[in-house]
Amino acid sequence: MASLPDHKLPKDFLWGFATAAFQIEGSTDVDDRGKSIWDDFSRLPGKTADGRNGDVATDSYRLWKEDLALLKQYGVKSYRFSISWSRIIPLGGRNDPVNPKGIEYYNGFINGLLENGIIPFLTLYHWDLPQALHDRYGGWLNKDEVVKDYTNYAKVCFEAFGDRVKHWLTINEPWCVAILGYGRGVFAPGRSSDRQRSPEGNSSTEPWIVGHHIILAHAHAVKVYREQFKPTQKGQIGITLNGDWAMPYDDTPENIDAAQHALDFAIGWYADSVHLGFYPPYMREVLGDRMPDFTPEEWEIVKGSSDFYGMNTYTTNLCRAGGDDEFQGNVDYTFTRPDETQLGPQAQSPWLQDYPQGFRALLNYIYKRYKLPILVTENGFSVKGESDIPIDEAVKDDARVHYFQGTTEAMLSAIHEDGVDVQAYFPWSLLDNFEWADGYITRFGVTYVDYETQKRYPKDSAKFLIEWFKEHETIPTAIEQLPTSVDIPRPKLADRTNVSVASSASTTVKGSNSSSPVIPGKETPVKSRGFKSRVNRYVAALVALLK
């Protein structure tokens, strides 16, 4: 992909790295934290690829000052992190006590970010539902209870941190919560119709119920923020959705339709409801009366309940009709083209190949369909075999550098040549960490973590991204020279309090021809629209400000 050296990022563009509480914090029984659904689930035999859990992770609850120093060393403008619901309200419920130690911890961390000139970007929920709520009433399966409890939790956080936090994400990747947790059963709480995998669950109904309730919980939290806090705190709030680009396997009508159907189930399910105020008709066609619906009063709360489009994306799928996986819209996914070539280099994760053209196409599709500023809140690559090689080789992560070279240039092209309003980019992840069902085998970090010593080693991908943003920021930030490692003292044993199958999400919607997926062999970038594209960007930005 051709470099665009003269093109800069928009003014006030946010960039940094992203993490999630359960994946990095550890200290699961410290300072009155309650259990989350991932605590016990990750301890069950066979639920993680290496049999390990999140009790220590990257020990970031204890080592947060060292991680803060690393962020400062990297010169980031912002840091996306999540809060553990069960650290704030150990039992989770609206009538349960708030934990002052949890509030104190996150206050200290947020203050530390601000003192170092780093903008906090806070996710309220990244998959770690308090176990007590799941035990008490079924968690996300119980609309009347969980919507109220989540809204209360969000309000506690707005009150505690909103004077300093101006960027909020309500829910991270609800597709994964619903499908992987209540459909496939590979994520907590592990419910599925497959009795070899789970003693409880109904994969034909529960995922759609859970997704429905998550949308409503998100919308109620946004309503509370906008009515009670935004007038004085002046922040922005939204949801972040996973979804990869879907391309037709070939130019046959059935495969063009298949790509659209994939997008309906992976992106449209949440994005159409939140941003447009309806569920995709294709989902209703497939699911029938299994697809819940909102009341007119609920739709009024749901529609427009995000100030931006939060976008987590990693790869592109070639889509063929005739699949039997309902969670993918009855679409077959492949990376192999009709001529038997692969779409791109293969990652450690079987669902991930490097194809930056798809990233650009998805940015265009999202912006044309939803007409909101896009914040890319996750994007990253797992290098094949990275955990099996010495550290001095692992930090030379050329495959990840290649991936980010492609996605950053694709983003810049989408901004300048296609007129897409992209306002933030958060590569996943700051650190190698507990990668859910993959345990610690799969690494997505731009910083290598030696899990035996908790020593951090910047990878070449971190250095590439830092230099790239330095070159492309409208107002460059001074970056200190990176060390070869960050030396973090190992706690004494007496002081210690705690000793994936990741799945692809794809996308799709029955839209106009202008937003149709790209067909293999016809993958040329969108042509520049010149002056018109710049006018479109300015108009879109003005509309966003007036909303």
Side-chain angles (χ1 to χ4, degrees):
M1 184 175 295
S3 180
L4 304 170
D6 296 330
H7 287 167
K8 298 293 185 180
L9 293 165
K11 184 181 179 183
D12 300 324
F13 188 93
L14 290 181
W15 76 274
F17 299 109
T19 60
F22 192 80
Q23 293 183 266
I24 67 167
E25 285 184 356
S27 297
T28 53
D29 58 355
V30 171
D31 291 339
D32 300 326
R33 174 190 180 273
K35 282 185 179 181
S36 81
I37 55 175
W38 270 94
D39 285 81
D40 288 344
F41 180 79
S42 63
R43 291 188 178 92
L44 294 174
K47 297 304 182 183
T48 62
D50 55 3
R52 300 174 69 185
N53 56 50
D55 285 0
V56 177
T58 65
D59 214 7
S60 290
Y61 186 80
R62 291 166 50 82
L63 302 178
W64 67 270
K65 291 183 179 178
E66 286 82 355
D67 286 349
L68 189 59
L70 182 65
L71 288 164
K72 183 179 181 181
Q73 188 72 43
Y74 284 0
V76 301
K77 288 185 69 173
S78 184
Y79 177 54
R80 183 195 163 206
F81 64 102
S82 80
I83 281 184
S84 166
W85 185 344
S86 55
R87 284 200 196 279
I88 301 298
I89 307 174
L91 297 178
R94 57 195 180 277
N95 298 316
D96 296 320
V98 174
N99 177 21
K101 294 178 182 177
I103 299 289
E104 180 182 4
Y105 169 75
Y106 290 112
N107 265 329
F109 184 69
I110 289 166
N111 290 341
L113 288 171
L114 292 170
E115 288 165 4
N116 285 277
I118 300 169
I119 297 169
F121 204 111
L122 196 155
T123 306
L124 288 167
Y125 184 80
H126 199 126
W127 306 355
D128 47 357
L129 181 79
Q131 181 68 44
L133 299 187
H134 182 76
D135 295 340
R136 188 181 299 170
Y137 55 70
W140 288 114
L141 288 165
N142 189 320
K143 180 180 79 169
D144 292 338
E145 295 296 330
V146 76
V147 170
K148 293 175 183 175
D149 284 342
Y150 174 79
T151 304
N152 172 73
Y153 158 63
K155 184 177 180 180
V156 169
C157 293
F158 300 149
E159 291 172 339
F161 314 123
D163 58 328
R164 287 150 293 150
V165 174
K166 307 303 176 186
H167 301 273
W168 297 91
L169 293 171
T170 53
I171 309 281
N172 179 81
E173 298 186 346
W175 187 98
C176 292
V177 177
I179 299 299
L180 304 183
Y182 296 82
R184 302 198 194 282
V186 295
F187 278 12
R191 295 176 66 86
S192 170
S193 292
D194 183 353
R195 291 294 168 257
Q196 300 295 316
R197 179 169 286 165
S198 172
E200 296 180 323
N202 185 334
S203 300
S204 70
T205 58
E206 289 188 4
W208 321 115
I209 293 169
V210 166
H212 192 70
H213 297 169
I214 288 174
I215 293 169
L216 197 58
H218 145 79
H220 275 274
V222 171
K223 185 174 186 290
V224 166
Y225 182 76
R226 287 175 172 172
E227 291 178 354
Q228 300 182 29
F229 298 95
K230 189 168 185 173
T232 55
Q233 295 181 356
K234 309 295 185 184
Q236 62 172 347
I237 189 167
I239 192 169
T240 196
L241 308 176
N242 59 297
D244 298 322
W245 182 233
M247 285 172 52
Y249 179 72
D250 56 28
D251 61 0
T252 60
E254 58 267 27
N255 289 334
I256 292 173
D257 285 345
Q260 294 288 350
H261 295 159
L263 287 168
D264 275 340
F265 268 76
I267 287 182
W269 180 11
Y270 295 101
D272 281 11
S273 56
V274 167
H275 299 298
L276 303 180
F278 56 81
Y279 279 134
Y282 177 70
M283 288 193 74
R284 293 195 179 282
E285 176 187 329
V286 171
L287 298 175
D289 60 8
R290 290 181 291 138
M291 187 72 187
D293 201 358
F294 295 118
T295 66
E297 294 77 18
E298 288 172 335
W299 274 119
E300 286 186 11
I301 298 172
V302 169
K303 183 180 180 181
S305 58
S306 191
D307 295 335
F308 49 81
Y309 190 100
M311 176 175 159
N312 288 5
T313 190
Y314 288 83
T315 194
T316 295
N317 292 296
L318 293 169
C319 297
R320 293 182 294 205
D324 58 2
D325 188 337
E326 191 172 73
F327 301 141
Q328 295 177 181
N330 293 326
V331 173
D332 180 46
Y333 289 172
T334 183
F335 290 132
T336 304
R337 295 184 177 94
D339 64 2
E340 299 300 320
T341 61
Q342 293 295 291
L343 198 60
Q346 179 62 50
Q348 169 77 20
S349 307
W351 50 268
L352 173 53
Q353 286 194 357
D354 179 352
Y355 186 72
Q357 298 95 320
F359 181 51
R360 181 175 179 181
L362 183 59
L363 287 169
N364 273 271
Y365 174 84
I366 294 298
Y367 190 58
K368 289 174 185 176
R369 182 162 183 83
Y370 302 110
K371 299 177 176 63
L372 285 171
I374 296 174
L375 280 60
V376 181
T377 44
E378 282 186 31
N379 181 239
F381 191 79
S382 57
V383 176
K384 204 167 187 179
E386 196 170 31
S387 288
D388 302 325
I389 56 178
I391 295 172
D392 60 348
E393 295 179 25
V395 296
K396 299 173 182 176
D397 56 340
D398 292 344
R400 187 175 288 109
V401 171
H402 182 270
Y403 179 91
F404 285 128
Q405 285 173 334
T407 54
T408 52
E409 293 303 326
M411 177 176 67
L412 208 59
S413 295
I415 292 170
H416 286 280
E417 298 182 26
D418 309 336
V420 179
D421 184 8
V422 186
Q423 297 185 354
Y425 184 71
F426 291 90
W428 184 270
S429 172
L430 173 67
L431 305 167
D432 292 332
N433 55 48
F434 175 76
E435 192 51 45
W436 306 111
D438 277 2
Y440 297 90
I441 293 173
T442 300
R443 294 173 179 265
F444 273 91
V446 300
T447 309
Y448 186 96
V449 177
D450 181 341
Y451 296 120
E452 296 301 316
T453 65
Q454 295 296 346
K455 193 171 183 178
R456 276 73 157 146
Y457 298 82
K459 300 179 189 178
D460 286 352
S461 57
K463 299 173 183 179
F464 164 76
L465 286 164
I466 291 164
E467 185 61 28
W468 191 89
F469 280 101
K470 180 181 177 181
E471 291 175 357
H472 292 87
E473 280 184 307
T474 303
I475 303 175
T477 303
I479 305 294
E480 300 176 39
Q481 184 177 356
L482 285 176
T484 57
S485 71
V486 179
D487 202 0
I488 299 175
R490 183 70 170 171
K492 296 179 181 179
L493 290 177
D495 295 337
R496 295 184 65 80
T497 54
N498 53 7
V499 194
S500 78
V501 180
S503 179
S504 170
S506 246
T507 56
T508 192
V509 188
K510 281 273 188 182
S512 65
N513 291 334
S514 64
S515 61
S516 294
V518 178
I519 297 171
K522 301 178 181 179
E523 299 160 4
T524 54
V526 180
K527 293 181 180 179
S528 172
R529 297 197 298 271
F531 176 76
K532 182 179 178 182
S533 71
R534 292 195 295 274
V535 171
N536 287 342
R537 287 205 307 279
Y538 296 148
V539 171
L542 180 60
V543 170
L545 288 172
L546 294 175
K547 285 185 178 180

